[in-house]
Amino acid sequence: MTVQYAETRYYSPVSPFKFNQIHLSDVAVLQYYDQDSNGTRFVLGEYTAAYETAIRSNTVLDAGYDPISRPNATTEVKVGIGILAIDQLDLLNQMFTVAGWMVLEWRDERLKWTPAAGNGNIKSVFSTSDIIWKPELVIDNALDDLGVITADNLNLRYDFEGNVEWEPPVLFNVHCQVDVTFYPYDQQKCAIVVIGWGYTVEEVDLAFLSQAINTDDLEAHGEWIVTKTETVKAVLDETLEDGTKRQFPKLEFWISVKRRHEYYNLNVIMPVVVTSLLIALTFIVPFESGEKLSYILTVFLSLAVLLTITSDALPPTSITVSNLAMYLGVVTVMAAVGMLITVLLLMVYHNEDAISESTSMSSKCILMIASIAATFIRSSKKHLIGRRATSKVVKVMPVNGHENAAEKQRVKSAESGKERDDDEDANVTWQDVAIILDRFVFIIFLAVSVAINFGFLIGLVVGGNTTAL
């Protein structure tokens, strides 16, 4: 049997080149073996920690590698963002918080090597972030922890072609200008703004890794739904005291979200609508109950509480005004007007004077309005109120101290007509007038309440769904 030797070389960072001779059968498949400093034998070309250590020693740990100097005159850094979960979108503080990670990729020609059997055919290795060059990036609209993005405990990966990949996890807590016009059927659009810190666009240029934010691992949120994402590239201009202008790279990652409004339908919209409709019911509460004024006062206070609760949930800004807050304001004013009308109707109802004895202008105006109201609601006493409201007192003046026969006859007719009117008016009291006005106001308030509720709700829903983001 013929025996051949395979002579191999193995480079170790601990020891110099070593030569080992291994007996191989001429009928066997030729394999190359080596052993490390501990005497462990392995197949040449397979991965070992020693191979990776050797590659790292020849790249980032090499004396000629400078982690401060950028790789090229203009180094392009590709940036991508992925989100895992939405923490909150705080309307009051205008703060958007989302958990995710960043993906940064760039090319560093100083980190190249050739994969071969002598280095285990390794195509990529890892390095700590403090011994390798990496770009200085800042979240420009961050509300806390405003500083260069770092992850000291996270390793970077780089391959044999010099491509470096870094994926630091980040809790994005950024400012978001919210639009509460159609709250709670609103849609919001928030941005994560990444800028280069220290390097201008001529030194380090930022580009997008993809044209959208990675949402593959996004967990469902109880209040918000991510509808779309988009990216915008821009520059940040800075003017120095001497007039010199600098431009820094800037990337904007926009996230559009839509509110889940089922909760608000049950806990905000429904109480407001029902309470607003209760205003009209004030005018069908009987006067004899004595609870008419206390009822409308309770409704008014309920609307004031709802308005306060809604206002507390909205940001104190005048850039956008919530239609829901305006709607509550209008309904609250309606309740105040209803309270005023209720007081006036109670005054009319408890007027002890006879209608036939009322000669003041206010009484005549009330009777005229009551006549119109009685006609509108088809009251059986509308002709009595109408006659009383339009009747006139006939006064006869003497002529030369004597009254002619025609004038006497006119006086008699007027007196007899007045007696008939008084008999008919005796069946109409101020209580009747108040009840007629009460029913008339009920119809008016009910119609206005329904129209306002329908108009505002349709405006909120349609406006929120058609908002262009």
Side-chain angles (χ1 to χ4, degrees):
M1 177 178 294
T2 305
V3 178
Q4 68 177 20
Y5 295 89
E7 188 176 89
T8 63
R9 288 190 176 186
Y10 167 69
Y11 174 80
S12 171
V14 179
S15 62
F17 289 101
K18 297 187 298 182
F19 297 88
N20 303 300
Q21 291 183 337
I22 301 170
H23 295 78
L24 297 175
S25 172
D26 59 346
V27 294
V29 178
L30 182 62
Q31 287 186 328
Y32 294 88
Y33 292 85
D34 205 345
Q35 63 183 24
D36 57 16
S37 58
N38 297 324
T40 304
R41 194 176 73 163
F42 51 86
V43 178
L44 193 64
E46 291 183 349
Y47 170 84
T48 64
Y51 282 152
E52 182 172 349
T53 302
I55 293 175
R56 193 159 36 246
S57 298
N58 287 332
T59 53
V60 294
L61 293 177
D62 186 84
Y65 186 84
D66 183 8
I68 299 178
S69 302
R70 63 184 185 275
N72 303 303
T74 301
T75 302
E76 183 183 62
V77 179
K78 295 182 179 179
V79 182
I81 288 180
I83 55 177
L84 298 172
I86 297 176
D87 183 14
Q88 66 172 340
L89 176 52
D90 189 347
L91 298 185
L92 186 62
N93 298 312
Q94 303 192 58
M95 179 175 62
F96 183 55
T97 306
V98 59
W101 75 95
M102 297 184 66
V103 181
L104 289 82
E105 295 182 359
W106 65 92
R107 191 179 183 88
D108 193 338
E109 300 288 343
R110 299 171 293 178
L111 303 178
K112 283 186 175 183
W113 77 88
T114 302
N119 54 28
N121 289 314
I122 297 177
K123 295 184 179 180
S124 63
V125 295
F126 292 90
S127 172
T128 56
S129 59
D130 59 331
I131 61 175
I132 192 172
W133 181 90
K134 57 184 182 297
E136 295 180 347
L137 302 180
V138 172
I139 306 299
D140 187 48
N141 58 340
L143 293 178
D144 57 5
D145 194 20
L146 183 61
V148 177
I149 298 173
T150 59
D152 296 335
N153 298 324
L154 183 67
N155 293 332
L156 295 83
R157 177 195 291 270
Y158 63 96
D159 62 16
F160 68 97
E161 294 181 339
N163 298 316
V164 186
E165 182 179 348
W166 189 34
E167 298 184 4
V170 183
L171 181 63
F172 302 100
N173 189 8
V174 298
H175 175 265
C176 180
Q177 182 66 53
V178 297
D179 184 356
V180 295
T181 303
F182 302 107
Y183 171 87
Y185 302 95
D186 54 329
Q187 301 183 57
Q188 304 296 338
K189 187 176 181 181
C190 302
I192 301 173
V193 182
V194 180
I195 64 171
W197 194 266
Y199 294 105
T200 63
V201 291
E202 292 82 10
E203 297 167 339
V204 174
D205 189 20
L206 300 182
F208 291 107
L209 191 62
S210 62
Q211 295 303 314
I213 297 176
N214 186 353
T215 58
D216 295 340
D217 300 322
L218 178 63
E219 295 183 2
H221 191 264
E223 187 175 4
W224 299 99
I225 303 173
V226 177
T227 55
K228 69 175 183 178
T229 62
E230 57 183 329
T231 55
V232 177
K233 184 175 182 179
V235 293
L236 180 64
D237 295 321
E238 179 184 358
T239 303
L240 303 180
E241 294 181 357
D242 59 357
T244 305
K245 292 186 177 181
R246 291 180 179 177
Q247 289 187 332
F248 297 90
K250 178 180 179 181
L251 299 180
E252 299 176 358
F253 296 84
W254 289 92
I255 304 175
S256 299
V257 293
K258 182 178 181 180
R259 188 190 300 273
R260 301 179 189 267
H261 51 74
E262 289 79 8
Y263 168 84
Y264 296 92
N265 290 340
L266 184 62
N267 294 277
V268 177
I269 300 300
M270 186 182 71
V272 172
V273 172
V274 173
T275 306
S276 66
L277 293 176
L278 293 179
I279 299 175
L281 299 182
T282 306
F283 304 103
I284 60 175
V285 176
F287 286 97
E288 296 82 3
S289 66
E291 300 294 333
K292 206 175 185 68
L293 186 59
S294 60
Y295 174 84
I296 184 62
L297 180 60
T298 303
V299 174
F300 175 80
L301 294 177
S302 300
L303 288 170
V305 170
L306 289 174
L307 179 60
T308 302
I309 294 175
T310 304
S311 300
D312 290 342
L314 299 176
T317 175
S318 298
I319 298 177
T320 58
V321 180
S322 172
N323 287 344
L324 179 61
M326 294 178 58
Y327 162 69
L328 284 171
V330 171
V331 173
T332 304
V333 171
M334 280 186 57
V337 173
M339 192 183 308
L340 175 62
I341 294 177
T342 301
V343 172
L344 296 177
L345 291 178
L346 288 172
M347 293 174 61
V348 173
Y349 184 82
H350 293 287
N351 189 357
E352 297 179 354
D353 296 336
I355 290 182
S356 58
E357 299 176 356
S358 300
T359 58
S360 63
M361 183 62 66
S362 59
S363 299
K364 292 180 181 179
C365 292
I366 292 174
L367 290 174
M368 184 175 299
I369 296 174
S371 175
I372 299 173
T375 304
F376 183 82
I377 65 175
R378 300 179 181 275
S379 173
S380 59
K381 297 183 179 182
K382 61 182 179 180
H383 62 287
L384 299 179
I385 299 176
R387 181 181 295 113
R388 180 68 186 89
T390 57
S391 61
K392 296 181 180 179
V393 178
V394 179
K395 184 176 182 181
V396 180
M397 299 297 295
V399 180
N400 298 325
H402 300 283
E403 298 176 349
N404 55 31
E407 289 173 344
K408 291 181 179 180
Q409 184 64 31
R410 188 182 306 169
V411 170
K412 292 181 179 179
S413 300
E415 290 177 351
S416 61
K418 184 177 182 299
E419 292 176 356
R420 288 195 300 270
D421 286 346
D422 291 340
D423 293 338
E424 291 178 339
D425 290 343
N427 297 325
V428 180
T429 62
W430 284 114
Q431 287 79 10
D432 296 326
V433 173
I435 292 173
I436 291 173
L437 292 174
D438 206 29
R439 298 297 180 267
F440 175 70
V441 175
F442 165 73
I443 296 175
I444 297 299
F445 265 71
L446 183 62
V448 172
S449 298
V450 171
I452 290 178
N453 281 297
F454 184 79
F456 269 96
L457 290 180
I458 294 299
L460 285 174
V461 175
V462 175
N465 291 330
T466 58
T467 301
L469 294 179

